[in-house]
Amino acid sequence: MTTFVHLTAEKNLKSILRTGIKISNSCVYAMPVLPNFYTSHQWLRELKRDGTKTIYGIYFRIPNNEIVSVGYFNQRHQEMTANEANSLLMKLENPSGYEVIIPRKIRAREIRKARYLPQIVGWRYFPNAHGRKPCGCPRCLRRGEIKSRKIRAAYQAQN
């Protein structure tokens, strides 16, 4: 059995523990639990961009031979077993931006624990974005994000 972590807002916690992780967009997004805490929880700050205050980690186990998709977040994903996905991400020199997609609901009995996480783990906008100015175009910057008005104004003044 391979252990994965799914990140979710605190408001979803009770429902998930009671009924499991429902699919959104026909899948569940997760990362395998790796020896590197940062890598396993790298999506936390990006998920907080929508204004969510507190993110929890939902840890669950699925069979090693279950088929999942793995890949970089904006590129084509490869299908492989959960165990192979875990091994692939452990071997990568820089797994920032990778994700695992599980094409089914996670049942409540598969969940092992829920855990409060440090709220400063991970990257925003895209991996290795630190030190680069975020893009202010409407496609990249959603309305209501932190400092979005200032970023959008700088973008419009530049163009």
Side-chain angles (χ1 to χ4, degrees), residues 40-99:
S40 297
H41 302 86
Q42 65 177 301
W43 285 90
L44 191 139
R45 283 184 67 209
E46 175 65 12
L47 293 174
K48 287 184 72 166
R49 282 180 57 204
D50 71 356
T52 301
K53 298 278 188 235
T54 307
I55 301 280
Y56 273 76
I58 308 295
Y59 297 84
F60 61 92
R61 297 183 81 186
I62 61 173
N64 287 338
N65 60 352
E66 186 163 334
I67 300 297
V68 299
S69 296
V70 64
Y72 197 73
F73 73 95
N74 62 357
Q75 296 176 359
R76 192 169 183 80
H77 288 43
Q78 297 176 339
E79 284 191 351
M80 59 184 67
T81 65
N83 197 35
E84 290 170 338
N86 188 24
S87 296
L88 172 70
L89 291 173
M90 280 171 88
K91 291 176 187 173
L92 288 174
E93 188 174 317
N94 183 12
S96 291
Y98 277 80
E99 63 188 358

Side-chain angles (χ1 to χ4, degrees), residues 1 49 54 106 130 136 150:
M1 301 285 266
R49 282 180 57 204
T54 307
I106 304 302
H130 190 72
K150 191 176 185 180

